[in-house]
Each structure stands twice: as structure tokens, then as C-alpha cells.
Amino acid sequence: MTAEPTGPGPRVAVVGAGLAGSLLAILLGRRGLAVTVYERRPDPRATGAERGRSINLALSARGLAALDAVGLRELALEQALPMRGRMVHPAGGGHNFQPYSAGGERAIHSISRAGLNAALLDTAEATPGVTLRFGARVTGVDTGDDGTGAGRLLLEGGATELAGVVLACDGAYSAMRRALRPDGGFEAGQDFLEHGYKELTIPPRDGDFALDPGALHIWPRGTAMMIALPNVDRSFTCTLFWPKEEFEALDAPARVRGHFRAAYPDAAALIPDLAEDFARNPVGSLVTVRSRPWVREGDGAVVALLGDAAHAIVPFFGQGANCAFEDCLEIDRCLTETGGDWSRALPMYQERRTANTDAIAEMALDNFVEMRDRVASPVYRARTAAQHALERRLPGRYVSRYELVSFSTLPYAEIPARIRRQNRILAGAAAAGGLLVAAGLLAARQRRSATRS
Ligand SMILES: Cc1cc2nc3c(=O)[nH]c(=O)nc-3n(C[C@H](O)[C@H](O)[C@H](O)COP(=O)(O)OP(=O)(O)OC[C@H]3O[C@@H](n4cnc5c(N)ncnc54)[C@H](O)[C@@H]3O)c2cc1C
């Protein structure tokens, strides 16, 4: 733990030392601010990763840009494995590789969540002004002036601490979000999918990867799917995304093995302790959080939500953490633009981010159907090949949605409109092409009849 905060300005509390909280603490510490990070868990670097969270995740351009801002991009890439496309394992057997970009060179990066979090915590801890407090669960906040000009953070056990700015990065089931609701009651803004997720491990085989480590593997099965991302220890972490009742139906080892032999035979052969792994690992929920407001200001403290606490999304575009990192950069930018005035910077952050996080929430839901169903169809493959051909012919002018989300930092909210514009131009070009073809045919017919007469 570093020394107590010493910087100028109000005491800043960051709630949650996950991916967003630890990155934000670094950015704020670098501004010379006094920041205390409150994390309910013990230090994960000492105790290991929490069970029931995704073991690894896909980092892409947005996340890497944010890590670059704190000098961690190269370290992250050293710990990650590039995945240059999808390896689709159809129900009928075999597999086919679908590159993410036209040239096949662009990659998303599979990285250990715990490793990334540890790198961020190490950097936060080494940043002057940042204090990390583990085993400190925050239960609420009192934004009124407590007589000292500041508000109070409420901690489990009844303790309270002074705070002028509270940045809530406490995840999808945020206690701070509930505390911001005037009635503290039911949240209409949480949409749970009927699908849950469960992780399994494909261990290394003969000391090497059991599958191609250069791809994100997908077993699309209509209403359900499994994916697998590689780890640096040469294992793969598989994630099952199934309707919850499908998990419940597999209530005996023989049923588990039987189902996998039927639906995922190639993967089943690579998981020696399949039934044990299945029974051991929990089923997690998949939630989209649509909450407003993200910012509330009282006489003593201003509070803002960010990351999953503000806008958790389903993981089918691999963007939740990438998007949470963008929030951190935006807060930092707004502080610069307002000369460090929190009362103006935080509403500005909310104003700039909500359309973007709404857009990626919708695209992530849509991508679930694409991954679990469409990627298996020959029509989808033909369409992707056509898109890549267009990307090569019209570089920078035709760019697929996947590229714009994963390989650019174009604001998410601009992507749907840009795709619609591209599609309109293409439809126009196709129609014009059709007219030209029709005109050509007509001219040829006229020439033939002129020759005959
Ligand atoms: C199955 C799955 C796969 C995913 N894959 C990807 C992917 O490939 N790419 C990607 O970009 N994103 C992915 N995500 C999303 C990503 O995990 C989240 O978007 C990201 O973790 C959000 O970071 P965060 O810091 O906002 O929240 P979290 O990472 O959840 O961190 C919240 C922190 O707050 C702490 N906390 C909670 N309550 C309190 C409290 N009351 N007091 C103090 N501390 C508290 C928690 O212990 C935790 O450390 C995936 C998510 C899931 C579920």
C-alpha cells in the first residue's frame, strides 16, 4: 500500500479496483490528485483470481489505446495472444477460419483478466498519491456537506470516510448505482439474458496448444454456443453460452459427457475431466445495464458511475472492458478540458459517453445472434468474403462493423450510421450496376435486331 493521499483538491474515492477502477486511479494519480481506491476483495495479486469471472478476455484497439496512455500497452501485448480471426467449428464437423480483417493481419488479443488487473494494480500502487485499500466494501455515499465541505463514503461495518469526489467502478451489480437511486429500490435498467455462461478448460496436449492459438474458436449451435480463447500457458478457456435450463438439464456426469459427445465432439475429446469441470464451475448471468443518471452532485460530494457499474453489456463483441477503459480516458480528457473542475467534467463525461455505450450495448446483443447462429451459414461466409473484397478495393471507404468496433477508436455511436451509409451507397451502386447491365443487354438486343433487319 502506498502512502496516504497527499495531492491537491478534494479527496477522490474510487470504488472498485477491477479493470476500470485501477486504470482510473493511475490516470488521476498522474494528474497529481489524492486518490483512495476501495476494493471489497482482498488483494487479488496475493489471493488469486476470483472464481466465476471470465478467466481471459479479448483486448482490442480501444483497450490498447487506453493502456497506451499509462504506458502499459506493450506489457499487455507481451502477456497476450493475438487472435486474427474466428475458427468456426460447425455442428457437422470440421472447422473453417474466418479472418477478422481483409488482409488477415489485424488481431484482437486474448489476455488473462487477473494478469491485466495485476499489472494495473502494480502501476496504480507505484503512482504517487494513489492509496489502495483492499477488503473495504463500500455500501453507499452521503453527498451532503458533513460540515467539513465534503461528503462521506459509507463502508461496511459502519465506518465512514470523507470524500469530495466518488467514482463508482464497482461492476455490473454496483452498490453505488443503487445508492444513487433516490428510492434505492428496484432497477428497471437491468436486462438479464435467458442465457448464462460457464467456463471449462482445454488443457495443453503433449505440452502444446490443443487447438490453433491464433484464433477465437466458436462452436455455433443455433440457440447456444461455445467459444474458446487461448492462454499463454497453452490451455484454452472455453465459455459455454447456453439457455440456463440447458445447464440445469445436465445434472449427472453421464448426461454432460453424452451432450458434449453429441454437440461438441471435437472439444469433448480435448477435455479429460469434462464432467468434473462442468460440475465445479458456476453458471454466471449475462446482464445489460441501462442506468441513468450516472452523475449526482450534492453539497459535499459529486458521484459518477463508470464501466460496468454504469453500462454493463453482454460480452459478445468482447468490448465491456475496452469500453470501460474508454470511460476512464474520457473522464481524464474532461478534467483537462474543464481545468480540473469536477462539477463540470463529470456531467460532460456522461453527456459524451451515453450514446456510445448505448450503441455498443445494442451491437453486443446483435452479435450474439451472429456468433451463435449466422457464422455457421455459407451465406454469412460469402457475405464476409464480399465485405473483405470491398475493404481491399475501397480502403478506408468501406469498413466492416467488426473492424470499426474492434480495430478503430471511432465513437461507437457513429458506427451504426456509418454502416447504414455504406450499405446505402452499396445498394445504390448495385442498383446502378444493375441498370448499366440492363442498359447493356438492351443495347446488345437492339444491335442484334438491327443486324437481322
Ligand atoms: C463471460 C464474460 C466475458 C467477457 N469478455 C470480455 C472480453 O473479451 N473483452 C472485454 O473487453 N470485456 C469482456 N467482458 C466484460 C468485462 O469483464 C467487463 O466489462 C469489465 O470487467 C468491466 O470492468 P469494471 O472495472 O467496470 O468492473 P469489474 O471488472 O467487475 O470490477 C468491479 C470491481 O469492484 C469491486 N467491487 C464490487 N462491489 C464493491 C463494493 N461495494 N465496494 C468495493 N468494491 C467493490 C469488485 O470486487 C471488482 O474488483 C466479459 C464479461 C464476461 C462476463
Side-chain angles (χ1 to χ4, degrees):
M1 197 176 287
T2 54
E4 276 297 301
T6 52
R11 288 175 68 106
V12 180
V14 170
V15 182
L19 298 176
S22 44
L23 175 66
L24 186 62
I26 300 168
L27 290 166
L28 299 181
R30 288 183 176 200
R31 303 185 74 87
L33 295 168
V35 184
T36 305
V37 184
Y38 298 84
E39 167 58 50
R40 68 169 178 195
R41 296 174 300 169
D43 188 341
R45 294 168 298 178
T47 57
E50 192 184 26
R51 286 184 73 83
R53 297 304 309 271
S54 68
I55 305 281
N56 52 22
L57 47 84
L59 259 188
S60 48
R62 296 163 201 271
L64 288 171
L67 292 172
D68 203 26
V70 296
L72 286 175
R73 180 192 161 96
E74 292 314 315
L75 184 73
L77 286 176
E78 279 165 24
Q79 296 178 6
L81 290 162
M83 302 178 289
R84 294 197 160 75
R86 295 164 170 163
M87 187 71 82
V88 178
H89 300 246
H95 47 77
N96 59 77
F97 181 71
Q98 304 177 5
Y100 284 133
S101 59
E105 75 292 355
R106 296 210 162 141
I108 56 174
H109 302 270
S110 175
I111 190 164
S112 145
R113 174 191 293 276
L116 178 59
N117 208 162
L120 286 163
L121 287 173
D122 286 346
T123 309
E125 194 161 56
T127 305
V130 176
T131 303
L132 303 179
R133 300 249 318 255
F134 293 101
R137 180 191 288 268
V138 178
T139 56
V141 59
D142 183 348
T143 57
D145 181 349
D146 79 334
T148 65
R152 287 217 164 248
L153 203 61
L154 317 178
L155 297 170
E156 190 174 50
T160 66
E161 301 220 348
L162 284 179
V165 177
V166 179
L167 300 162
C169 314
D170 52 341
Y173 306 103
S174 167
M176 296 302 292
R177 189 173 67 235
R178 279 195 302 280
L180 279 197
R181 291 181 60 81
D183 55 3
F186 175 72
E187 287 187 69
Q190 280 182 311
D191 287 346
F192 285 90
L193 282 193
E194 61 175 32
H195 289 69
Y197 74 94
K198 182 192 277 281
E199 294 188 315
L200 302 174
T201 304
I202 295 180
R205 199 173 48 169
D206 303 328
D208 206 353
F209 289 103
L211 298 166
D212 181 349
L216 185 153
H217 293 257
I218 309 183
W219 289 258
R221 296 294 182 264
T223 57
M225 72 169 179
M226 178 168 85
I227 66 168
L229 275 69
N231 299 309
V232 282
D233 68 359
R234 294 171 186 247
S235 66
F236 278 82
T237 302
C238 304
T239 311
L240 306 168
F241 294 101
W242 290 359
K244 284 194 173 155
E245 62 272 12
E246 271 190 42
F247 287 116
E248 284 155 20
L250 300 190
D251 55 0
R255 287 212 172 107
V256 175
R257 282 192 284 266
H259 181 71
F260 273 79
R261 270 199 301 271
Y264 309 93
D266 54 346
L270 302 174
I271 311 178
D273 61 345
L274 173 62
E276 294 79 359
D277 215 13
F278 190 91
R280 201 168 33 233
N281 295 332
V283 177
S285 291
L286 297 164
V287 66
T288 302
V289 168
R290 295 187 179 86
S291 87
R292 300 284 192 281
W294 293 354
V295 179
R296 173 151 306 158
E297 181 155 24
D299 295 337
V302 58
V303 184
L305 304 174
L306 66 148
D308 276 14
H311 50 69
I313 59 177
V314 292
F316 305 113
F317 236 122
Q319 285 297 307
N322 286 282
C323 176
F325 284 167
E326 277 195 330
D327 287 352
C328 299
L329 282 189
E330 191 63 64
I331 289 182
D332 195 44
R333 206 174 290 129
C334 291
L335 279 171
T336 301
E337 289 178 29
T338 58
D341 179 350
W342 286 100
S343 296
R344 285 197 295 132
L346 291 177
M348 184 187 276
Y349 143 77
Q350 169 174 306
E351 168 77 25
R352 289 183 181 176
R353 287 298 289 162
T354 46
N356 290 311
T357 59
D358 287 349
I360 189 59
E362 290 314 309
M363 289 191 278
L365 284 164
D366 186 51
N367 220 40
F368 188 24
V369 185
E370 179 153 327
M371 288 178 84
R372 69 178 200 231
D373 200 6
R374 290 187 212 133
V375 289
S377 97
V379 175
Y380 176 88
R381 286 171 66 189
R383 201 192 71 192
T384 309
Q387 280 181 341
H388 286 167
L390 280 167
E391 281 170 350
R392 278 191 293 271
R393 283 181 77 101
L394 305 168
R397 285 194 290 147
Y398 182 88
V399 187
S400 71
R401 185 174 75 160
Y402 193 89
E403 286 246 354
L404 292 170
V405 169
S406 301
F407 303 133
S408 88
T409 54
L410 184 74
Y412 292 121
E414 293 180 26
I415 295 175
R418 169 143 181 192
I419 295 296
R420 278 196 299 276
R421 216 166 40 242
Q422 287 183 176
N423 288 344
R424 262 200 312 275
I425 292 168
L426 279 183
L435 280 178
L436 285 177
V437 170
L441 287 173
L442 199 63
R445 186 183 293 168
Q446 280 167 349
R447 271 198 305 276
R448 274 199 307 274
S449 52
T451 331
R452 272 200 300 272
S453 58

